[in-house]
Amino acid sequence: MSPFNDPSIRFTRTTQPRPRPEDASLSFGKVMTDHMFLMDYEEGKGWHDPRVVPYGPFSLDPATSVLHYGQAVFDGLKAFRGEDGSIRLFRAQRHAERLNRSCRALCIPEMDPALIRASFEAIVAADHDWVPRAAGTSLYIRPTVIARDVMLGVHPAHRYTYFVICSPVGAYYKEGVKPVRILATDTHVRAVQGGLGEAKTAANYAASLSAQQEAEKLGFTQVLWLDGVERRFIDEVGTMNIMMRIGDEIVTPPLAGTILDGVTRNSILTLMRDWGLGVSERRIDIQEVMQAGRDGTLAEMWGTGTAAVVSPVGQLQYKGETITIGGGETGALTRKLYEAIIAIQYGRAPDPHGWTSAVRLPVAA
Ligand code: COI
């Protein structure tokens, strides 16, 4: 019998549970939990056989299509252990919907969003002991779909595997919530209109690696991506959405096809609007930002993402010129946003938009 909310999900419990790491030792994504969620797709049969099984390697034929043509999508969300002991998912529905949008962009058959949510709940319920307790820690949940045809022709596959793995995590950046240095690149681009920029797919992250490596060699934490056509308008920072305060205006690039519709981005925009702050979603010219940096009106800049939540930017370099933002310190709004989001995530503050959902633990737990 299934111990989960959704009785169609089978459970095979591990017979070899592994030791859990100390909360204080956690970084990002290095340790996986004891179980994983799996489900298969075959043309004619649809998505079938949802199950939670012991975590372990897959065996893939070397001709498996995902290994050659990157037909793969993923998402990332977190479960938080609150002071009241309950475990909450943050915006599970929105992550499920985005995973399906990414599937559409890569010609992968969509899943029932209710089953995607049930998969998040089931894997967290199975591995609830792995949700860390220390401040700032959480369980990162990584749902992924890969193409499983064994063939070298280039076309959408007929077979897929959906899997969900989990990792107890601490801070994404070793700096924690401290200002990072970023480098605006005009030699590499991440995405173009009509491409895959708004999908969460492996290809976008592969496209980011060489610029990221160059930036790191020069002592920067992240790359600031400019648009792929004029190389002038700001798109994203590293793997995050970007926002800034210039004078009295809070600005962020619009969702216009090249950037990810970040769940943290949406949450932060909602909070700021709740607080009566106006936010413009508009194109932002890098020259405008550099000028605001020179004349001192660039008060704050921060990245938003599930992994780091909010990451302040202290310095930006573009074409050899460096500007320091807000004296290189974390700005008051940046800090307030970070605190407000994590208070909701850990259940310490009211959740007026219903963003969190408690995970029901398995009956036998
Ligand atoms: C996030 O900021 O949540 C990300 O997408 C980063 C992840 C790819 C590690």
Side-chain angles (χ1 to χ4, degrees), residues 29-333:
K30 300 220 169 90
V31 182
M32 305 302 149
T33 63
D34 277 334
H35 297 92
M36 59 187 180
F37 180 97
L38 290 178
M39 182 162 69
D40 304 304
Y41 177 91
E42 245 177 77
E43 219 162 72
K45 202 165 170 191
W47 285 107
H48 61 276
D49 199 11
R51 58 206 187 272
V52 173
V53 298
Y55 184 92
F58 297 131
S59 159
L60 290 182
D61 188 295
T64 302
S65 47
V66 67
L67 301 176
H68 300 271
Y69 307 124
Q71 200 191 358
V73 297
F74 68 94
D75 216 282
L77 70 158
K78 283 178 172 171
F80 299 86
R81 190 185 292 279
E83 276 156 22
D84 58 358
S86 67
I87 298 172
R88 294 175 182 82
L89 295 174
F90 187 67
R91 308 208 67 179
Q93 181 67 22
R94 202 168 170 97
H95 283 283
E97 287 164 5
R98 187 172 70 182
L99 181 62
N100 266 340
R101 284 203 301 281
S102 299
C103 284
R104 276 205 290 283
L106 274 285
C107 303
I108 295 172
E110 289 175 48
M111 294 169 277
D112 174 359
L115 188 52
I116 300 179
R117 278 192 70 160
S119 71
F120 301 157
E121 282 157 18
I123 192 64
V124 174
D127 282 336
H128 62 93
D129 276 347
W130 285 81
V131 182
R133 288 171 166 78
T137 62
S138 56
L139 188 73
Y140 184 77
I141 305 163
R142 170 54 64 85
T144 307
V145 189
I146 56 170
R148 293 289 296 270
D149 275 9
V150 176
M151 56 101 201
L152 297 179
V154 180
H155 57 75
H158 307 284
R159 294 174 51 206
Y160 297 87
T161 293
Y162 170 57
F163 61 88
V164 189
I165 57 174
C166 296
S167 172
V169 297
Y172 185 70
Y173 294 123
K174 63 177 177 6
E175 293 92 333
V177 188
K178 296 228 175 69
V180 296
R181 299 177 68 223
I182 64 171
L183 176 67
T185 176
D186 54 6
T187 50
H188 297 74
V189 298
R190 175 187 169 276
V192 290
Q193 299 260 350
L196 292 173
E198 61 188 353
K200 213 157 169 67
T201 181
N204 287 329
Y205 297 81
S208 75
L209 296 178
S210 68
Q212 174 67 24
Q213 192 177 51
E214 281 175 27
E216 278 172 11
K217 272 193 202 137
L218 296 169
F220 296 92
T221 304
Q222 282 295 346
V223 172
L224 183 69
W225 298 103
L226 303 180
D227 77 275
V229 179
E230 295 179 67
R231 303 196 183 185
R232 186 176 148 202
F233 296 102
I234 291 175
D235 261 357
E236 292 194 340
V237 59
T239 60
M240 294 186 287
N241 296 116
I242 184 144
M243 302 185 181
M244 61 200 84
R245 186 159 71 83
I246 304 178
D248 288 335
E249 191 190 16
I250 301 163
V251 282
T252 194
L255 300 177
T258 58
I259 70 170
L260 192 73
D261 181 358
V263 174
T264 310
R265 175 187 185 278
N266 174 273
S267 308
I268 281 192
L269 293 183
T270 305
L271 283 182
M272 289 196 287
R273 287 171 180 148
D274 285 352
W275 297 342
L277 299 175
V279 187
S280 315
E281 293 178 64
R282 65 162 174 85
R283 297 179 96 190
I284 309 161
D285 193 319
I286 182 71
Q287 295 295 356
E288 175 191 351
V289 175
M290 296 307 289
Q291 186 52 44
R294 283 179 214 120
D295 66 25
T297 54
L298 180 57
E300 300 184 45
M301 183 184 287
W302 64 93
T304 68
T306 295
V309 188
V310 169
S311 179
V313 178
Q315 271 193 346
L316 162 63
Q317 184 173 310
Y318 174 62
K319 289 195 188 293
E321 180 184 357
T322 302
I323 54 172
T324 298
I325 302 155
E329 303 291 330
T330 302
L333 178 60

Side-chain angles (χ1 to χ4, degrees), residues 4 10-15 34-35 51-54:
F4 305 120
R10 284 193 292 120
F11 186 27
T12 310
R13 191 184 291 277
T14 183
T15 53
D34 277 334
H35 297 92
R51 58 206 187 272
V52 173
V53 298

Side-chain angles (χ1 to χ4, degrees), residues 340-360:
I341 290 273
I342 64 164
I344 296 172
Q345 291 175 329
Y346 288 96
R348 293 196 303 263
D351 176 15
H353 299 284
W355 287 339
T356 60
S357 48
V359 175
R360 193 179 64 88

